[in-house]
Amino acid sequence: MLRALLPPWSHELIEAAPAHPSYVADDGFPAEMSVNWSGRHPELRVLFDSLGHDTGSPAESDFSRLQRVHEIFTPRGGRPSPAPLWHSIAWRPPSRVVHKTYFGLYLWPHAQREAAVAEAMARLGMADAWDTTRRQVENVDGTREIEFFAVDLADEAEARVKIYYRNHGAGLAEVNRVASVALRHDADDARVAYRTLAGDREDAGKAALSCLAFRPGPDRAAESTTYLRLPDLAASDEEAVERTAALLHREGVDPGRFRLLTAALAPGPLATTSILELVSYRTAGRRGDVTTYFRFPVYDRSLTPVDLA
């Protein structure tokens, strides 16, 4: 399925530098792998940047939500440029594969991002929930910007619409206040989880992300997920793995498979590597809702930096 969905770039040779650097990873590589550790079986995910190519699509019945909003994020919808399109497939055996699509808004002026999100939420029947949530987020002190709009490609009642904020210079307490905007968020559990990952730091590190997920029905965001960047908060994968393992253990998840996976993916001793890019935490009613995001050192970052501005 992954081979069928990947864009044409997947057949190109990986050379010394990316021909079209992607925003996915700092070195410009257009894909990442992640694992969610909740439940009896972990969920494997692969996210990739289409880099402007058309990609394969899931079953037509899963596609209607995307069709309702896609044009909004293009020049036909009055935007300055097409939003970069990212896709994700997620599989937790024995369940079926889940497809997700992300619109990257990071290239647009802030007013364009906000207008596109408001229009998309209106088309999906979630305008009031978004307006309530947006105003509550704006009441939290600090600086942040909308960076992604995402949809689960499913018509099911539980399918989510997600809006991602990038926080600037935020402390752990600040990202917890943003997360607390959601209906299902345990601020006390989250506080302990964030501190476990951040070590002795009070800040949330470089560009922590806050994701607010909306479902049909609730009058504001239903759930929230906070993403912390471990390369900024920990000295190496070795330290990052120990902190993440401690969080998994606290959540009732045996960290053994996580340790084995990280060691297998790392290109060298964990004391010298930095592939565990993000760790996210969500308190939405199930234990162990921790996701680990791996970005591989494909290119020499000193030669091909991506301009995140």
Side-chain angles (χ1 to χ4, degrees):
M1 181 176 290
L2 179 59
R3 287 194 181 99
L5 291 174
L6 281 172
W9 62 250
S10 64
H11 300 288
E12 298 173 1
L13 289 175
I14 294 176
E15 310 226 8
H20 304 285
S22 171
Y23 189 65
V24 170
D26 286 350
D27 70 347
F29 190 68
E32 71 173 15
M33 191 186 91
S34 59
V35 178
N36 177 273
W37 298 96
S38 63
R40 183 178 177 186
H41 299 289
E43 181 180 78
L44 172 66
R45 305 167 178 175
V46 178
L47 176 142
F48 55 90
D49 189 339
S50 66
L51 293 180
H53 296 288
D54 290 331
T55 62
S57 65
E60 196 65 31
S61 61
D62 291 339
F63 212 48
S64 62
R65 290 159 63 84
L66 182 61
Q67 290 175 326
R68 269 184 275 166
V69 300
H70 186 275
E71 185 179 77
I72 295 170
F73 299 95
T74 70
R76 290 194 305 275
R79 309 306 162 212
S81 60
L85 206 60
W86 296 6
H87 298 282
S88 172
I89 62 174
W91 182 44
R92 188 190 306 276
S95 302
R96 65 180 182 85
V97 169
V98 175
H99 299 264
K100 309 171 189 180
T101 293
Y102 301 76
F103 295 94
L105 313 184
Y106 42 84
L107 297 176
W108 297 350
H110 291 181
Q112 287 283 356
R113 305 181 199 186
E114 292 159 7
V117 168
E119 184 176 350
M121 293 298 276
R123 289 196 187 183
L124 295 172
M126 298 179 178
D128 290 343
W130 166 237
D131 192 49
T132 298
T133 301
R134 176 188 55 78
R135 284 188 278 107
Q136 291 180 341
V137 170
E138 289 174 353
N139 285 334
V140 178
D141 291 339
T143 304
R144 63 196 62 88
E145 58 185 285
I146 297 174
E147 193 162 79
F148 291 95
F149 181 90
V151 293
D152 291 348
L153 302 188
D155 292 325
E156 303 166 1
E158 287 301 298
R160 300 164 302 166
V161 175
K162 298 180 292 183
I163 296 169
Y164 291 77
Y165 284 92
R166 179 181 287 257
N167 298 282
H168 298 286
L172 296 176
E174 180 183 321
V175 295
N176 204 1
R177 285 193 291 273
V178 173
S180 296
V181 166
L183 285 169
R184 301 177 69 189
H185 178 74
D186 187 319
D188 292 332
D189 272 355
R191 184 179 302 109
V192 175
Y194 302 161
R195 289 190 177 279
T196 301
L197 293 173
D200 59 0
R201 298 263 293 268
E202 292 291 332
D203 64 293
K206 176 184 176 183
L209 295 173
S210 299
C211 172
L212 297 171
F214 296 78
R215 298 182 187 272
D219 60 359
R220 66 177 192 268
E223 302 155 5
S224 59
T225 305
T226 300
Y227 303 71
L228 301 181
R229 297 183 185 277
L230 271 294
D232 186 47
L233 294 169
S236 67
D237 281 326
E238 185 174 49
E239 188 173 40
V241 165
E242 289 305 312
R243 295 181 188 175
T244 306
L247 176 58
L248 288 169
H249 180 74
R250 176 182 175 273
E251 291 288 312
V253 177
D254 181 354
R257 283 182 293 184
F258 161 67
R259 290 182 184 275
L260 287 171
L261 176 62
T262 308
L265 294 176
L270 293 181
T272 65
T273 64
S274 182
I275 67 162
L276 181 57
E277 176 71 17
L278 294 164
V279 176
S280 72
Y281 184 72
R282 177 173 61 169
T283 62
R286 63 182 181 184
R287 298 291 303 281
D289 207 340
V290 177
T291 305
T292 51
Y293 296 79
F294 301 96
R295 294 181 181 171
F296 307 108
V298 180
Y299 299 111
D300 183 340
R301 298 187 185 199
S302 65
L303 294 177
T304 58
V306 176
D307 183 1
L308 298 183

